Amino acid sequence: MRVGVLTGGGDCPGLNAVIRGIVRKGVQNYGYEFTGYRDGWRGPLEGDSVPLDIPAVRGILPRGGTILGSSRTNPFKQEDGIRRIKDNLAKHEVEALIAIGGEDTLGVAARLSGEYGVKCVGVPKTIDNDLSATDYTFGFDTAVGIATEAIDRLHTTAESHMRVLVVEVMGRHAGWIALHSGLAGGANVILIPEQRFDVDQVCAWVTSRFRASYAPIVVVAEGAMPKDGDMVLKDGTLDSFGHVRLSGVGEWLAKEIEKRTGKEARTTVLGHVQRGGTPSAFDRWLATRFGLHAIDAVRDGDYGKMVALRGTDIVRVPIAEATAKLKTVNPALYEEAGVFFG
């Protein structure tokens, strides 16, 4: 049996660990052969593939990014996209496809499996940790660690100059990175997409912090929005899944804080730094287990399913169910963090 593998959407630490787990177990235990598709769904669309065997995955466990490349290609927006995918899978004698990605990549896999008879298994990947069917997605732990280290470092320069430092982290619809890193890094204000923020309240917290002779750190998710405004966008362009490019709320907020409080404010946008580099031990562990269980699902013929973490167990859930609803921050969790605001 020949199995296809692709990685779609944004890159993140742990993707190579998944690929390695799939190939190692698939070859050693089941005698499968593997074809890797380049750059997400573009690979099967254009027939762009590379062979995957044990030598090809040797040494990739600690590497960030993905050896297969990635993209935000949506085959449903391409002319004859589904026919082209099916034709190329047949040409390469690929009988099943493992798609590693987030909401958009797995959404395509769900439709291909449910509506078009393509045998797909999904592996959840997003640093935002916003897929509702799994407790954690790999890449999230690494991103939180990177953001926390940045906040730790910014505390010292904020104190040295007694200025406000605004740290913008990733998080389009869910504020998990902001909440976890903000709490771990001792931020004085944390702003998330799930709760619109009052700029005057943020300024009051900042002023309170200065009264205590400390310089405040404000952590804001890129998708956070003020009560009296809209999401701040980098520009108005859309990707093939209809998403706008975010980034800019940190700079906007710093200017508002400076204008309203008279205190000097600066912005640090962590951006893609959160997605790059070596995965944490937890992400290597989780990604490897996802890969091992994904190839088991192929062996069992359990298609249309995604592997997910529940507690310490890896379970299978329908891909369509896993992508139907985002996992957002519970208001009670956010309220806990409020103790440290101001």
Side-chain angles (χ1 to χ4, degrees):
M1 184 177 184
R2 182 177 293 277
V3 180
V5 181
L6 64 83
T7 56
D11 68 296
C12 81
L15 283 167
N16 288 322
V18 181
I19 298 168
R20 173 178 174 269
I22 290 168
V23 173
R24 284 289 296 271
K25 190 168 188 178
V27 172
Q28 291 176 192
N29 289 31
Y30 307 134
Y32 294 163
E33 295 180 341
F34 290 90
T35 294
Y37 284 106
R38 299 283 304 167
D39 302 335
W41 289 110
R42 187 192 68 78
L45 263 172
E46 300 180 6
D48 188 358
S49 66
V50 294
L52 281 179
D53 54 17
I54 288 179
V57 300
R58 189 169 291 134
I60 67 172
L61 176 63
R63 284 177 56 183
T66 164
I67 61 170
L68 294 178
S70 190
S71 72
R72 297 189 185 277
T73 303
N74 184 352
F76 290 100
K77 296 291 181 68
Q78 304 287 324
E79 184 176 354
D80 289 332
I82 306 309
R83 180 191 59 77
R84 288 160 58 192
I85 286 178
K86 295 181 78 170
D87 286 351
N88 282 320
L89 292 179
K91 178 183 176 182
H92 297 147
E93 299 181 328
V94 169
E95 299 176 47
L97 188 61
I98 298 177
I100 309 165
E103 174 192 6
D104 297 324
T105 300
L106 295 182
V108 171
R111 288 190 63 186
L112 287 176
S113 185
E115 301 173 30
Y116 299 97
V118 178
K119 297 175 180 178
C120 292
V121 168
V123 175
K125 173 247 37 154
T126 167
I127 66 167
D128 287 343
N129 198 40
D130 59 1
L131 287 175
S132 61
T134 183
D135 290 350
Y136 285 98
T137 52
F138 64 88
F140 171 69
D141 184 72
T142 304
V144 168
I146 291 168
T148 301
E149 181 183 356
I151 295 167
D152 287 345
R153 291 175 179 274
L154 289 169
H155 271 293
T156 58
T157 189
E159 298 292 349
S160 297
H161 295 275
M162 288 303 289
R163 61 166 61 125
V164 186
L165 286 183
V166 178
V167 185
E168 183 183 303
V169 300
M170 285 185 168
R172 178 179 293 272
H173 301 298
W176 293 109
I177 294 177
L179 181 63
H180 281 237
S181 65
L183 268 177
N188 311 111
V189 182
I190 301 170
L191 306 175
I192 62 176
E194 294 87 341
Q195 302 276 346
R196 283 182 175 259
F197 61 88
D198 184 332
V199 179
D200 287 332
Q201 178 62 73
V202 172
C203 291
W205 285 327
V206 164
T207 302
S208 172
R209 183 71 173 171
F210 276 116
R211 286 199 197 102
S213 298
Y214 287 101
I217 300 285
V218 178
V219 175
V220 57
E222 62 186 354
M225 291 182 285
K227 284 184 176 179
D228 302 324
D230 298 317
M231 186 178 289
V232 180
L233 307 178
K234 198 176 188 74
D235 56 48
T237 59
L238 303 177
D239 66 20
S240 63
F241 290 97
H243 297 311
V244 292
R245 294 177 65 194
L246 299 185
S247 186
V249 66
E251 189 65 35
W252 176 86
L253 182 60
K255 290 177 181 177
E256 289 296 315
I257 291 172
E258 195 166 276
K259 180 172 67 177
R260 300 185 191 202
T261 67
K263 299 293 185 179
E264 189 178 6
R266 294 289 185 271
T267 308
T268 299
V269 180
L270 295 184
H272 291 80
V273 170
Q274 298 158 91
R275 289 220 290 238
T278 301
S280 67
F282 178 83
D283 281 341
R284 297 185 204 189
W285 171 84
L286 179 59
T288 298
R289 292 190 71 202
F290 276 164
L292 298 176
H293 284 262
I295 198 61
D296 283 348
V298 170
R299 176 204 57 184
D300 296 341
D302 199 6
Y303 300 114
K305 298 292 182 63
M306 182 193 87
V307 293
L309 181 69
R310 298 280 176 82
T312 57
D313 296 329
I314 305 294
V315 299
R316 300 173 193 167
V317 297
I319 302 176
E321 175 187 310
T323 57
K325 181 182 178 182
L326 289 177
K327 179 177 66 180
T328 54
V329 173
N330 187 312
L333 286 176
Y334 185 64
E335 188 176 341
E336 287 178 0
V339 172
F340 302 101
F341 293 0

